[in-house]
Amino acid sequence: MMSVSLLLLTIISLFGISNAADEKSARLLISKTILNEALVSGKDLTIHYEIFNVGPSSATGVELSDTSFRISDYKHISGLSKVRWEHIGASSNVSHTIVVRPLSPGAQNITSAHVSYIAIEGEPPVNAYSSEPGEYYIFPEREYDRLHSSHWIEWAIFAAMTLPSIGMPFLLWYRSRSRYVDQIKPKKH
């Protein structure tokens, strides 16, 4: 009985020591967000990364890399898909934005970004992953324009087609009204 309680006490104290070490280490939360409302082939796609250090100490050697955007499917416009920060202070954050252009329409799986950092000096790097946006459909440019353009030509054709059906009754009414108004003379009081 005494050995079992001694074993439990040892396990609990080791767990407490490991938690104390975790409480002193940096802890990063990573968010990956697509800022566009619609993903369109041939138009810019903006991806925003935010890294928050919620731990009580600085994270060092922070490296963000994202392999979701292959050269065969996307054209790189601006920003870097692999970035490094020397350190991110406790209770602070950094952000990074890249812009790519999808080359072909269709379903695309946009996966999470990989982040590695050193939480405590002298310890091996910690690997973390960002939130994963998931699967998106990239619209062809022509289909997107058809759905979201102002359609001026269609409205002009609609107006030209409805003008006779509205204009002819108006002309008949106006002509009839002008005949009767001319015949009626105002009364003198």
Side-chain angles (χ1 to χ4, degrees):
M1 180 72 171
M2 182 68 128
S3 64
V4 173
S5 60
L6 185 61
L7 181 64
L8 284 174
L9 183 62
T10 306
I11 290 173
I12 290 172
S13 62
L14 286 176
F15 182 71
I17 291 170
S18 69
N19 277 347
D22 284 347
E23 290 175 6
K24 294 178 183 173
S25 66
R27 185 173 176 91
L28 299 183
L29 302 176
I30 304 104
S31 169
K32 178 180 179 180
T33 311
I34 294 179
L35 300 181
N36 300 52
E37 287 184 21
L39 281 61
V40 182
S41 174
K43 297 200 184 242
D44 290 351
L45 170 62
T46 306
I47 299 93
H48 185 72
Y49 305 92
E50 290 179 300
I51 302 175
F52 300 93
N53 184 354
V54 295
S57 65
S58 293
T60 57
V62 180
E63 189 172 303
L64 167 79
S65 62
D66 194 353
T67 58
S68 296
F69 307 105
R70 294 181 303 276
I71 295 173
S72 61
D73 296 331
Y74 296 90
K75 179 181 179 188
H76 182 77
I77 304 299
S78 70
L80 301 171
S81 60
K82 190 170 187 176
V83 212
R84 181 173 170 80
W85 293 274
E86 287 305 314
H87 85 281
I88 299 175
S91 301
S92 65
N93 67 331
V94 294
S95 62
H96 180 67
T97 303
I98 66 170
V99 178
V100 295
R101 186 171 294 150
L103 299 175
S104 60
Q108 292 283 333
N109 188 19
I110 299 176
T111 60
S112 58
H114 175 261
V115 174
S116 66
Y117 64 98
I118 298 173
I120 300 174
E121 288 298 323
E123 294 288 321
V126 176
N127 292 314
Y129 294 93
S130 70
S131 55
E132 184 174 315
E135 190 169 311
Y136 282 87
Y137 181 75
I138 298 175
F139 287 98
E141 190 172 6
R142 183 178 172 125
E143 183 179 340
Y144 177 80
D145 288 341
R146 182 181 61 83
L147 294 173
H148 298 284
S149 69
S150 57
H151 304 285
W152 286 108
I153 294 173
E154 289 87 349
W155 281 108
I157 292 170
F158 174 75
M161 291 175 66
T162 57
L163 187 63
S165 64
I166 295 172
M168 291 302 289
F170 173 75
L171 289 175
L172 290 172
W173 169 81
Y174 185 76
R175 201 166 164 209
S176 170
R177 181 184 168 274
S178 63
R179 279 190 209 157
Y180 290 107
V181 169
D182 290 343
Q183 291 177 1
I184 300 175
K185 294 186 181 177
K187 294 182 182 178
K188 292 185 182 180
H189 295 311

